[in-house]
Amino acid sequence: MRNQRAAGDARHARTGKDGAFYNKSGILLATVEQFSSNVSWNNAKYSVLGDAQEHETANTFSVSLTMSQIVIEDDEFIVELMKALETQVMPSWDFQGTLLGRNNSEERVIYRECVPSGQVDIQNVSVGDVIKRNWNFFVNRPPKMQSLLTVDR
């Protein structure tokens, strides 16, 4: 085999059971079924004289965070959101996303100043399904990598 690292080391592949989502105090948000974060790049296009090819340069980026929460009891998030709807003072949260490695290394990313963005479920009820509340956040500070996964070789 020419590429000895092509497949990586499958023993170190991670699944959802190895992830966790915490609030800023480090308290596990145990009813979160899934979370994901994404960065979107908005590049500026330009062209120069004598070159028929269009080019792009980095311009801005935005980070979004989504989570799906199983509704077991009303928690601080829905309470703060409902209060914000009444007072019109919007909430802002900090989160920590983690992924535990097989060798107990940990990838930890901090998301600061997360505000509700787009659609957020207040109640989402359907027959025969677990009741979930979907959240969408805009992350107003660049995510900060606290620690990285490692692989013992």
Side-chain angles (χ1 to χ4, degrees):
M1 178 185 268
R2 294 182 78 191
N3 185 350
Q4 299 296 322
R5 296 184 63 182
D9 188 341
R11 295 173 299 164
H12 292 277
R14 303 292 78 204
T15 65
K17 67 176 176 43
D18 301 305
F21 197 60
Y22 299 88
N23 68 12
K24 71 178 176 184
S25 301
I27 297 171
L28 178 65
L29 301 175
T31 60
V32 172
E33 180 184 48
Q34 65 83 22
F35 76 92
S36 67
S37 61
N38 300 285
V39 61
S40 295
W41 297 98
N42 302 302
N43 293 337
K45 293 186 179 198
Y46 67 95
S47 58
V48 295
L49 292 175
D51 187 351
Q53 182 177 354
E54 187 173 64
H55 302 277
E56 288 189 357
T57 187
N59 190 15
T60 64
F61 68 91
S62 63
V63 177
S64 62
L65 179 66
T66 61
M67 74 172 175
S68 173
Q69 181 183 32
I70 298 169
V71 177
I72 296 174
E73 62 182 352
D74 289 332
D75 62 5
E76 68 177 286
F77 296 117
I78 194 64
V79 170
E80 289 180 27
L81 182 73
M82 297 306 285
K83 181 179 176 185
L85 295 175
E86 288 182 37
T87 63
Q88 297 186 12
V89 176
M90 293 303 121
S92 175
W93 294 289
D94 295 344
F95 297 110
Q96 303 175 44
T98 67
L99 182 58
L100 183 63
R102 183 173 181 178
N103 59 357
N104 288 323
S105 65
E106 179 185 66
E107 177 184 273
R108 182 176 293 262
V109 178
I110 307 298
Y111 304 94
R112 291 190 175 93
E113 296 181 21
C114 301
V115 296
S117 179
Q119 184 170 311
V120 173
D121 289 343
I122 294 174
Q123 291 184 313
N124 185 355
V125 181
S126 61
V127 174
D129 197 6
V130 173
I131 298 172
K132 299 174 187 171
R133 183 174 288 131
N134 296 304
W135 293 83
N136 296 293
F137 301 97
F138 188 87
V139 182
N140 279 304
R141 305 279 270 177
K144 183 168 177 68
M145 182 74 77
Q146 291 284 307
S147 57
L148 298 171
L149 284 177
T150 61
V151 176
D152 298 329
R153 299 227 185 250

